[in-house]
Amino acid sequence: MRARVFVTLKPSVFDPQGTTVADALHTLGYPEVTDVRQGKYFELEIKAASADEARRIASEVSDKLLANPVIESYRIEVADQEEGGR
Amino acid sequence: MKFAVVVFPGSNCDHDAYYAAKHVLGQEAVFVWHKDARLGGADAVILPGGFAHGDYLRTGAIARFSPVMAEVQAFAAAGGPVVGICNGFQVLLEVGLLPGAMLRNRSLKFQCEHVYTRVEQTDTPLTLACQAGQVLHLPIAHGDGNYYAEPDVLAQLERNRQVVFRYATRDGQVTDVANPNGSANNIAGLCSEARNVVGLMPHPERACELAVGSADGLALFESVVKSVAGLRTVA
């Protein structure tokens, strides 16, 4: 089963990279892009009997390793119908 | 006394720390590979600078799970002096021996320069031989040194006098211009609540002889020696 984990800086944490990307977009002529937050994206292949179990494991590894709870939060999507429904 | 210098794959200031301890101070020093589960009977542990495990994922994020870290945590819990320099500081933050986290420098650049750092507290194993308010000229070399903690954590750090070093001007003024990376409250170094774990972004091990531009880091290494001697007297 595949879990996707999106890690982003918490809203309260300043994101100097995102700000710089936003500045570059404004220079490129996209003033309508008002804010950019940069983050990380992980695809996890998980051997799990159910989507719930895959989600539980993805959440556990996100807490332990993928995200630093001091500055980051994460969101998980589990897709159990992909890759021929495995 | 005996220093243990932990070597992670990607550490690159391990030899500088070893040199400062052994050849400048004339103390015993040993390297400890990150997969070793023993600290070799050391009196103090140094987590050196560098890019442990390539700094993949986040600085220090993988290194915190190196086998040696369980020993380092036990050593710290027993009151042993643990010093994290630059990447070593980042590892201490990731493993939770010190609070907070590092963000990318506000300049988005790898800052490699000499800065002035004011000693705020002298009751830690790394600053025992310093004067309060003493200004040290030390090099920094990092991309992620922008210290962050939630406001309540920052307030608690200040209340507990855990801010050990602050970026300052040459004459000791803590200003925004003197802050090379955007760190909250100009924080350059911290200690644990029990005060025996100290982390800092500047590199004292690269400033122990005038031939390299500054010998201001020497006082920090001398502090560790003095602190260990004190611990022995108490014991």
Side-chain angles (χ1 to χ4, degrees):
Chain A
M1 220 165 286
R2 176 169 293 178
R4 299 190 168 95
V5 181
F6 302 83
V7 177
T8 47
L9 288 170
K10 288 179 182 173
S12 59
V13 176
F14 178 62
D15 176 8
Q17 294 182 99
T19 305
T20 304
V21 172
D23 287 348
L25 291 177
H26 296 162
T27 306
L28 276 174
Y30 294 95
E32 54 273 66
V33 180
T34 55
D35 192 28
V36 177
R37 304 285 289 173
Q38 187 170 322
K40 293 176 187 140
Y41 168 62
F42 302 87
E43 287 181 350
L44 309 178
E45 283 297 335
I46 302 174
K47 278 186 190 156
S50 67
D52 280 350
E53 193 192 344
R55 183 176 294 277
R56 181 186 61 74
I57 293 168
S59 171
E60 210 171 294
V61 302
S62 298
D63 285 330
K64 281 189 181 164
L65 181 64
L66 301 184
N68 179 340
V70 177
I71 47 173
E72 295 168 328
S73 53
Y74 61 85
R75 179 168 61 80
I76 294 167
E77 288 176 1
V78 174
D80 53 355
Q81 294 309 312
E82 273 186 33
E83 318 283 341
R86 271 183 297 143
Chain B
M1 68 157 286
K2 189 177 187 178
F3 284 89
V5 180
V6 175
V7 182
F8 298 101
S11 293
N12 64 11
C13 300
D14 43 348
H15 281 263
D16 302 67
Y18 180 93
Y19 176 85
K22 181 155 187 164
H23 298 291
V24 183
L25 262 87
Q27 302 294 325
E28 220 181 317
V30 290
F31 288 118
V32 176
W33 180 236
H34 78 117
K35 286 196 168 166
D36 287 351
R38 273 197 298 257
L39 291 170
D43 300 300
V45 175
I46 296 177
L47 304 184
F51 300 84
H53 300 271
D55 275 352
Y56 294 152
L57 193 58
R58 292 181 307 278
T59 56
I62 312 285
R64 67 167 285 202
F65 295 109
S66 278
V68 75
M69 286 310 295
E71 271 313 293
V72 172
Q73 283 174 277
F75 183 81
V82 175
V83 177
I85 302 169
C86 195
N87 194 222
F89 184 12
Q90 294 164 336
V91 175
L92 291 175
L93 294 171
E94 279 284 339
V95 81
L97 282 172
L98 293 173
M102 288 299 177
L103 300 172
R104 186 65 57 90
N105 292 347
R106 64 179 167 188
S107 65
L108 293 181
K109 292 195 174 84
F110 188 94
Q111 303 280 146
C112 188
E113 60 195 280
H114 275 70
V115 299
Y116 292 97
T117 309
R118 192 173 80 184
V119 177
E120 304 289 280
Q121 306 295 337
T122 56
D123 58 343
T124 80
L126 196 61
T127 52
L128 210 60
C130 299
Q131 304 292 317
Q134 189 176 343
V135 177
L136 307 174
H137 196 212
L138 299 172
I140 55 164
H142 58 249
D144 299 76
N146 182 352
Y147 180 78
Y148 174 86
E150 298 279 345
D152 57 323
V153 175
L154 281 176
Q156 197 182 349
L157 287 173
E158 298 290 355
R159 223 175 16 252
N160 295 343
R161 300 186 302 104
Q162 284 173 258
V163 179
V164 181
F165 301 99
R166 267 187 242 271
Y167 300 110
T169 61
R170 189 177 188 160
D171 56 354
Q173 302 299 311
V174 174
T175 66
D176 191 53
V177 175
N179 186 341
N181 50 31
S183 284
N185 296 11
N186 279 45
I187 289 172
L190 288 178
C191 70
S192 58
E193 246 183 291
R195 311 193 84 73
N196 60 309
V197 178
V198 188
L200 77 168
M201 288 315 287
H203 286 274
E205 81 286 8
R206 296 193 196 170
C208 284
E209 288 179 325
L210 283 174
V212 293
S214 169
D216 286 1
L218 197 54
L220 304 185
F221 280 86
E222 283 167 350
S223 294
V224 177
V225 176
K226 196 172 160 185
S227 142
V228 168
L231 287 176
R232 279 191 182 144
T233 314
V234 173

